Amino acid sequence: MGSWGGRAARGFLRAVAVAAVTLPIPALWAAAAALGVLWGPANPWSWLLPVVLAGTGTLALARPVCRAVRFLVERWTGTVVPAGYRTAGPVTRMSTGYWWNGYGYERSRRDALMDQSWRTWWSDPATWRDLRFAVTVPFTAGLAALLPPAVAVSAVYGLLRPEPAARLVGATAAVAAVAASPYAWRLVEPVAVRFLGPSGAMLLAERVDELTAQRADVTVAQAAEIRRIERDLHDGAQAGLVALGLSLATAEKLMEADPERARALMRAARAGAASSLAELRDLVRGINPPLLNERGLVDAVRALALNSPLDVAVGTDGPFRLEPPVESAVYFGVAELLTNAAKHAGAATVRITVGHSETGVVVEVLDDGRGGAAEGSGGGLAGLRRRLAVFDGTLELTSPVGGPTRATIMVPCELL
């Protein structure tokens, strides 16, 4: 009985909350209509002000109502209804002094932001979806949620009347209010999921924008990697090979005049050739480790663990192979997380779990460091997230202050 009473009380409060969130727009319409009636039919423009108030008020209240409904649904049921709102791009000052906001030029940054905000809101399909939902939900979930409080008011009114019949009706209404309370608010979830989520066209447009950003990130990363390779070749192996050529040319000239010195130069040239070869191998290994190509992700991660200064344990479901680009992205992701654990977290031990599911590969890196890891806009974690996003992969990071830090890499793919 106590459990039922608690459910009824909780349901009644939720029904009141849903009614309070979903019914302001019909209340606004009723107030506008009453204003038109009070203004009087004799005035031929008496309809204009109520229509303007109802229209502008509905537009202004639509998005707050939808946000409140999403919050309540997620809080009570755990169902997340994506908003799908279009985000505005950056505002850039041009060499002419004008500000470009993606739509046009303005004289000041403030004007550019205001114009951009208005244009983005007006052209966003989510604005009109919110408007449609805000007009629809009062007559579906709003009416259902209004039933318990309305019946409760009737019950109080009837029980306070002296007539026996009125009291009987009040008692019956009280029972009906208690019985309906646990269920009256629940209609808001299916209605929100059906009408408030982003449409297929909105999801497609969002995906196109995401892929465009990913393509830009990949292009920038490729250019940076090419510059790194060129710099390493120029400063390392190329300089060593140039010195090797000079040493051999000098030795050739001294071969007859000073054979001992020529032999010393050739010994130095041989050592320089070995050093240049080692630099080239390190450079190639930085592009893609040979062990990763030859034996796959699991063995490459084990080799990475052996070379780490930390106490690293690797657990796995067994050796398996993936597409080479996916293996490379996951491998360098694990390398980035190990570097962070050693360099920033002050960890002593790390546990790496490499596994696969029906949908793809899952790698978990758990360290006992100080925690508090945060993803900066230009940091290694942000770069790792962009690298994984190319393959629709994700990075989930949990790092409370004091540790431990748990990072989970998930990439959808098929096993070879």
Side-chain angles (χ1 to χ4, degrees):
M1 184 65 180
S3 175
W4 174 259
R7 289 177 56 195
R10 184 167 57 250
F12 182 83
L13 294 176
R14 290 182 177 182
V16 171
V18 171
V21 166
T22 57
L23 296 179
I25 290 180
L28 174 67
W29 296 344
L35 179 63
V37 172
L38 292 176
W39 199 351
N43 190 335
W45 298 101
S46 60
W47 58 270
L48 181 59
L49 180 60
V51 169
V52 172
L53 289 178
T56 56
T58 302
L59 285 174
L61 289 174
R63 186 161 290 190
V65 166
C66 294
R67 285 174 173 165
V69 169
R70 287 192 194 92
F71 172 78
L72 294 179
V73 170
E74 182 178 358
R75 179 75 177 272
W76 293 341
T77 68
T79 302
V80 178
V81 182
Y85 295 129
R86 182 175 293 173
T87 56
V91 174
T92 307
R93 187 172 189 179
M94 312 303 292
S95 59
T96 58
Y98 284 83
W99 292 82
W100 169 254
N101 60 11
Y103 300 97
Y105 297 94
E106 299 293 337
R107 291 183 177 274
S108 67
R109 185 174 186 273
R110 177 177 173 273
D111 293 341
L113 288 173
M114 291 179 59
D115 178 72
Q116 181 192 59
S117 176
W118 170 253
R119 289 174 181 264
T120 302
W121 179 86
W122 187 260
S123 61
D124 190 354
T127 299
W128 310 109
R129 176 209 60 198
D130 286 358
L131 181 62
R132 182 178 65 249
F133 177 82
V135 171
T136 303
V137 71
F139 304 103
T140 52
L143 285 179
L146 186 62
L147 180 62
V151 174
V153 171
S154 301
V156 172
Y157 179 77
L159 291 174
L160 293 177
R161 299 287 295 178
E163 298 85 357
R167 292 186 176 183
L168 178 60
V169 172
T172 304
V175 173
V178 172
S181 292
Y183 311 103
W185 64 272
R186 294 184 181 276
L187 186 60
V188 70
E189 180 188 7
V191 171
V193 172
R194 173 63 180 84
F195 296 103
L196 196 51
S199 65
M202 293 168 62
L203 290 174
L204 181 60
E206 183 179 352
R207 182 59 175 161
V208 169
D209 292 340
E210 180 182 352
L211 291 176
T212 302
Q214 290 176 6
R215 183 182 64 182
D217 290 337
V218 170
T219 303
V220 172
Q222 265 187 339
E225 187 67 13
I226 290 173
R227 287 194 299 270
R228 183 188 70 82
I229 295 172
E230 291 176 346
R231 185 174 61 253
D232 290 346
L233 285 174
H234 181 272
D235 297 342
Q238 178 178 316
L241 292 175
V242 170
L244 175 62
L246 293 175
S247 297
L248 291 176
T250 304
E252 183 181 5
K253 294 179 180 179
L254 295 175
M255 187 65 69
E256 296 181 359
D258 193 348
E260 189 62 32
R261 187 179 175 189
R263 281 193 290 271
L265 286 175
M266 294 182 68
R267 286 194 296 270
R270 184 175 61 184
S275 176
S276 298
L277 181 60
E279 289 184 6
L280 286 173
R281 285 174 176 169
D282 291 339
L283 180 61
V284 172
R285 188 176 295 110
I287 298 173
N288 220 15
L291 186 62
L292 182 63
N293 297 328
E294 297 169 3
R295 304 186 59 178
L297 177 64
V298 174
D299 288 337
V301 170
R302 284 173 175 161
L304 194 65
L306 291 175
N307 293 329
S308 174
L310 305 177
D311 181 12
V312 183
V314 179
T316 180
D317 298 340
F320 55 88
R321 296 305 304 265
L322 309 171
E323 291 289 343
V326 176
E327 284 188 332
S328 178
V330 175
Y331 172 83
F332 284 108
V334 174
E336 175 69 26
L337 294 174
L338 273 180
T339 301
N340 288 347
K343 186 176 180 181
H344 304 295
T349 60
V350 178
R351 171 72 179 178
I352 302 176
T353 305
V354 184
H356 60 84
S357 62
E358 296 180 355
T359 57
V361 61
V362 180
V363 179
E364 182 183 88
V365 180
L366 177 66
D367 69 66
D368 62 350
R370 65 176 65 95
E375 182 178 334
S377 58
L381 292 177
L384 171 57
R385 191 179 295 277
R386 289 195 300 268
R387 181 193 289 266
L388 296 174
V390 175
F391 307 97
D392 286 334
T394 59
L395 171 67
E396 295 182 2
L397 184 67
T398 304
S399 183
V401 176
T405 297
R406 184 189 305 273
T408 304
I409 295 173
M410 293 179 287
V411 181
C413 60
E414 295 182 357
L415 302 183
L416 297 182

